[in-house]
Amino acid sequence: MVLIPVIKDGEYTSTIYGMIKEARYAEVVQILVTKVQGVHKSRAALSLLGYCQYQDQNYVDAADTYETLSEQYPEVSEYKLYYAQSLYKNAFYDAAIKAAYQIEDGNFQGQVTKLCAAVKYGEEDYSGAKVFIDQCPADDPDTEVNFACLLYREQRYDEACAKFMQSMQVVGYKPHLSYNIALCHYELKQYGQALKHIADIIERGIREHPELSVGMTTEGIDVRSVGNTATLHETALIEAFNLKAAIEYQLKNFEDAAEALTDMPPRKEEELDPVTLHNVALMNMEKNPTDGFRKLQFLLQGASFPPETFGNLLLLYCKHEYFDLAADTMAENADLTYKHLTPVGGATVFHVVGRTDGEMCGLISPLWKVIWTSSWSCRDML
């Protein structure tokens, strides 16, 4: 429960903006919700509310707020763009691209093109994504990054890695770009190089954001959840720790793999992204199989989940001799059987997921591999 602070008369504006500067978005949302109730809604309050909902990763409510703003102020193209972007964050791809096409202001053509490319990428329509990326300026650093992501999807990891590194030379160090480079090395089984980039991400995260409490849980220190903030996302720490866990698991360093997950910035279980939830379930199956099965079953019920989830759940059912449950799960999810299962010559292979929410053009997509980056995003709304 978020407590609503008492604001003194005459200090409303300065207090709100001070809280936003401190990234206390959930508290600001609670305050602003009371200001936008009723028939006469303040445009300024609605705009700030949408911004804070978005930064707090409450994309459903952000979409509702920006839809209201778009209807009340149709001449303001920014609201239409933020509405489309919020829909995209929710993986409402058809609605997002429909909303994007309704933006006629030429000043936003570049952002609309990137958003359409992101939608196509989220739909795994990579040829469609390339059509839009081809329309982007060649001198835009995002264009090089996005082409690198397409190379990654084509399993051309050496070429993708080279493009990511070239991009980082142009735009400077970016945690998400470093993660993408690490991921390419991971796919090439160059684990030492991957771990080097992961270590850079973690060291920078600890140094620049001590408030994220990295490693505190492993040390047995009781700390509160840091939540899913924009700051946490920008550090790429969650992605880095998941990838580190996957590498250590591949190297059969199981204790180190489990420690990588507990070293993450602390979050409540309901705040965990699908990749982390999957990996936590897998790492703790020996200690608490019932809880592990619960987590994996929960993931399968969601709109998006790591593709490894389905195969791992079936393998674990068989390992624990729950053959009927395995058969029922396959029968109930025939589409997943054909999409996610690959013959491995009878071997039992568990997959720890080293990838987390992908990002293209500054927008988070429900992918489990490359993070797409950009210089524009909803954070520029204020």
Side-chain angles (χ1 to χ4, degrees), residues 252-300:
K252 302 188 184 304
N253 299 326
F254 301 122
E255 290 186 7
D256 291 339
E259 186 173 297
L261 297 180
T262 56
D263 276 346
M264 283 185 184
R267 292 175 294 167
K268 299 175 183 176
E269 182 173 303
E270 59 267 26
E271 295 172 333
L272 297 181
D273 58 278
V275 171
T276 302
L277 188 64
H278 168 278
N279 289 347
V280 169
L282 199 60
M283 292 294 183
N284 293 290
M285 281 301 298
E286 295 298 325
K287 296 180 181 178
N288 193 344
T290 300
D291 187 61
F293 283 126
R294 177 183 63 82
K295 288 180 170 67
L296 295 175
Q297 290 162 352
F298 172 80
L299 285 170
L300 277 189

Side-chain angles (χ1 to χ4, degrees), residues 230-241:
T231 298
L232 178 61
H233 167 66
E234 289 167 359
T235 64
L237 282 169
I238 300 302
E239 293 86 348
F241 279 117

Side-chain angles (χ1 to χ4, degrees), residues 337-366:
T337 301
Y338 292 105
K339 184 176 182 180
H340 295 306
L341 293 189
T342 302
V344 290
T348 302
V349 181
F350 294 103
H351 298 283
V352 175
V353 185
R355 308 171 293 281
T356 189
D357 293 69
E359 183 176 340
M360 172 183 179
C361 307
L363 308 166
I364 300 174
S365 67

Side-chain angles (χ1 to χ4, degrees), residues 2 155 185 192 241 257 270:
V2 179
Q155 300 184 10
H185 286 304
F241 279 117
E270 59 267 26

